[in-house]
Amino acid sequence: MPKMKTHRGAAKRFKITGSGKVIKNHSYKSHILEKKSAKRKRNLRHAEVAAKADVDRIKRMLPYS
């Protein structure tokens, strides 16, 4: 059977930790930043663990990570 292809869009957006958790960056941080408070933008900098409901789909898109 041929190798599975990695979904390149997902590979750029998600990382799998050593324990198998999926890490993602926050959205809403690319434009229209003037009206967002400094506190809100600062909190959007930090990555977070992806929702449990999405983890299976994300891991299927990243077969070798």
Side-chain angles (χ1 to χ4, degrees):
M1 195 156 167
K3 292 182 193 175
M4 291 175 67
K5 289 200 172 187
T6 297
H7 188 293
R8 297 313 296 162
K12 293 166 188 175
R13 288 172 171 83
F14 303 106
K15 286 190 171 64
I16 311 288
T17 65
S19 62
K21 292 178 185 168
V22 179
I23 301 293
K24 71 177 192 73
N25 287 317
H26 283 275
S27 51
Y28 306 110
K29 188 65 174 73
S30 57
H31 62 113
I32 317 176
L33 298 173
E34 208 168 61
K35 63 174 84 168
K36 295 170 188 164
S37 70
K39 179 181 179 180
R40 184 172 162 194
K41 290 184 284 190
R42 185 166 61 245
N43 288 333
L44 290 173
R45 278 182 211 153
H46 309 293
E48 66 176 355
V49 178
K52 204 180 293 184
D54 300 323
V55 168
D56 287 341
R57 274 183 302 144
I58 294 167
K59 285 189 173 178
R60 209 173 308 137
M61 290 190 279
L62 304 173
Y64 298 108
S65 56

